[in-house]
């Protein structure tokens, strides 16, 4: 899996966050409701210390509503944080954010502003939320190394000052599914991961988790046994054919991905708390085995 990171940029952004944390009261992390685990900043719990935190599960219009509620319960119970599920079509929920922040500081007087650091990986909808809260278009902070725009402060009428940091996509790809899910959601652009690969990942997941959505969208009465056959059926149905009648998988993959990203197939969540726990447990085992191998290699080396 080939994914482009900007290590220097991320290092600087991480340092900037640490400095900012000294002057802020709380953290607002914007997550993609379809993948709250894969779209989180894995360093946040470490950076955060005991600062209060609100996690916004954004783009909830694209996610499975039952699973979003499951995530909210799970996050609030296990992480001592508040959550809010919202999307671009629920401005009344976005408007609740300042009130939610103030509720977390009951001792503060109404005239005292709350300093909130707002963060999120690129494309989760952070700018859309900031613009909705500010009631105007605020220039984006830079996501790319070439963009020199830095952190900015946005003073809202409701006694909230937002500290906006450049978007950061941390190298949280020890878990292979995380990369695929970020690609499915559009957070990682097609150039970084091969979209055929991503489409096969999505097709396999949908076959297991959302068979009815596939049946309805592609008018398939009986689903095939595997993702390759499914892609062939979709390709044939959409006229993605090469000379000789072979399926053009590249074109099929593009169609499937754009329909998924636009929510045309339906509301889909790409991970659940249970899946996350299983994957974290697997990662722990992999890390332990790697550490043991490294140790035995070092021991062998010192014995020489
Ligand atoms: P960012 O600052 O976190 O990078 O994200 P931004 O607000 O720019 O939003 C990224 C894309 O996601 C935008 O689409 C935006 O309209 C869309 N978006 C934001 N919030 C929601 C939401 O709640 N639901 C849905 N369905 N979409 C949302 P775009 O400009 O068309 O960009 P792109 O999709 O072509 O990347």
């Amino acid at each position: 899996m080939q994914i482009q990171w900007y290590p220097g940029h991320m290092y600087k952004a991480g340092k900037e966050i640490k400095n900012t944390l000294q002057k802020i009261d709380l953290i607002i992390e914007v997550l993609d409701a379809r993948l709250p685990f894969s779209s989180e900043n894995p360093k946040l719990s470490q950076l955060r210390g005991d600062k209060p935190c609100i996690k916004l599960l954004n783009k909830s219009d694209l996610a499975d509503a039952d699973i979003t509620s499951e995530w909210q319960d799970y996050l609030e119970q296990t992480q001592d944080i508040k959550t809010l599920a919202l999307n671009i079509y629920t401005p009344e929920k976005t408007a609740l954010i300042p009130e939610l922040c103030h509720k977390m500081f009951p001792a503060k007087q109404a005239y005292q502003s709350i300093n909130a650091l707002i963060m999120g990986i690129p494309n989760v909808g952070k700018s859309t939320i900031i613009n909705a809260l500010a009631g105007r278009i605020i220039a984006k902070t830079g996501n790319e190394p070439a963009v020199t725009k830095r952190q900015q402060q946005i003073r809202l009428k409701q006694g909230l000052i937002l500290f906006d940091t450049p978007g950061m996509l941390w190298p949280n790809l020890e878990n292979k599914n995380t990369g695929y899910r970020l690609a499915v959601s559009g957070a990682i652009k097609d150039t970084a991961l091969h979209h055929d690969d991503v489409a096969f990942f999505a097709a396999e997941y949908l076959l297991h988790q959302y068979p009815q959505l596939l049946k309805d969208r592609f008018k398939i009465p009986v689903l095939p046994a595997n993702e390759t056959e499914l892609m062939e059926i979709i390709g044939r149905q959409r006229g993605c054919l090469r000379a000789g009648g072979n399926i053009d998988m590249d074109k099929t993959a593009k169609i499937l991905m754009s329909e998924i990203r636009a929510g045309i197939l339906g509301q889909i969540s790409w991970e659940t708390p249970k899946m996350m726990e299983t994957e974290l447990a697997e990662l722990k085992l992999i890390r332990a085995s790697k550490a043991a191998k490294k140790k035995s290699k070092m021991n062998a080396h010192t014995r020489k």
Side-chain angles (χ1 to χ4, degrees):
M1 193 186 296
Q2 180 73 52
I3 293 182
Q4 303 283 309
W5 304 112
Y6 306 115
H9 178 61
M10 284 183 329
Y11 173 77
K12 271 195 215 145
K15 241 181 127 174
E16 211 163 279
I17 285 189
K18 269 195 189 152
N19 292 336
T20 310
L21 276 174
Q22 293 166 8
K23 52 190 172 207
I24 69 127
D25 299 307
L26 99 160
I27 296 169
I28 301 175
E29 187 177 30
V30 187
L31 301 173
D32 187 319
R34 295 167 293 174
L35 40 143
F37 164 51
S38 294
S39 61
E40 75 171 2
N41 181 331
K43 294 271 192 296
L44 177 61
S45 53
Q46 215 178 310
L47 286 167
R48 180 188 147 205
D50 53 5
K51 294 265 185 212
C53 179
I54 299 174
K55 296 206 179 204
L56 302 177
L57 277 65
N58 193 39
K59 303 199 182 188
S60 63
D61 55 311
L62 299 175
D64 184 325
D66 291 341
I67 295 180
T68 301
S69 308
E70 212 182 295
W71 271 112
Q72 287 190 265
D73 291 345
Y74 178 86
L75 292 170
E76 293 198 0
Q77 281 162 20
T78 56
Q79 295 188 10
D80 187 27
I81 57 157
K82 292 271 178 259
T83 66
L84 182 67
L86 72 170
N87 64 69
I88 204 166
Y89 310 107
T90 58
E92 71 288 355
K93 288 215 178 157
T94 310
L96 288 177
I97 296 170
E99 193 185 317
L100 191 59
C101 293
H102 276 278
K103 272 194 185 146
M104 292 175 92
F105 296 91
K108 277 214 184 212
Q109 302 296 321
Y111 62 86
Q112 287 178 301
S113 285
I114 289 174
N115 291 339
L117 175 66
I118 184 159
M119 57 198 292
I121 63 167
N123 215 33
V124 283
K126 186 181 71 166
S127 309
T128 307
I129 292 174
I130 294 175
N131 293 341
L133 285 171
R136 64 194 164 94
I137 308 286
I138 309 266
K140 269 196 180 200
T141 52
N143 291 336
E144 319 287 330
V147 180
T148 50
K149 259 180 248 153
R150 309 255 310 187
Q151 192 181 75
Q152 56 178 335
Q153 292 177 28
I154 304 129
R155 195 174 283 270
L156 303 178
K157 282 190 216 107
Q158 307 92 325
L160 187 63
I161 301 171
L162 294 177
F163 287 67
D164 181 21
T165 57
M168 287 173 301
L169 193 52
W170 296 80
N172 175 25
L173 298 176
E174 240 180 321
N175 177 9
K176 69 179 183 345
N177 290 334
T178 291
Y180 283 120
R181 291 171 188 147
L182 288 168
V184 169
S185 75
I188 294 177
K189 296 291 175 203
D190 287 340
T191 46
L193 261 178
H194 207 280
H195 64 259
D196 283 19
D197 245 10
V198 180
F200 274 85
F201 169 85
E204 185 187 7
Y205 181 81
L206 293 174
L207 264 179
H208 290 107
Q209 305 294 331
Y210 294 97
Q212 197 56 44
L213 294 186
L214 285 173
K215 285 182 181 176
D216 293 347
R217 178 68 192 155
F218 299 107
K219 309 274 178 292
I220 313 171
V222 182
L223 287 171
N226 61 54
E227 62 277 17
T228 309
E229 284 176 46
L230 175 64
M231 291 290 284
E232 282 173 3
I233 294 172
I234 296 173
R236 202 164 295 120
Q237 208 199 73
R238 294 296 162 94
C240 305
L241 298 174
R242 288 187 191 283
N246 290 331
I247 305 293
D248 185 337
M249 280 298 177
D250 197 57
K251 211 168 158 191
T252 310
K254 279 190 181 142
I255 290 178
L256 180 64
M257 290 318 303
S258 71
E259 294 204 1
I260 288 172
R261 286 178 185 164
I264 295 171
L265 261 78
Q267 294 181 299
I268 298 165
S269 292
W270 294 90
E271 56 194 14
T272 62
K274 197 159 175 237
M275 284 159 71
M276 180 195 78
E277 285 193 336
T278 308
E279 288 170 18
L280 285 177
E282 283 166 6
L283 268 185
K284 225 174 166 181
L285 289 178
I286 293 171
R287 278 192 209 128
S289 132
K290 271 188 191 161
K293 267 189 202 152
K294 199 172 164 192
K295 202 171 165 194
S296 86
K297 237 184 185 175
M298 274 167 63
N299 287 344
H301 188 72
T302 41
R303 275 198 300 271
K304 271 184 196 167

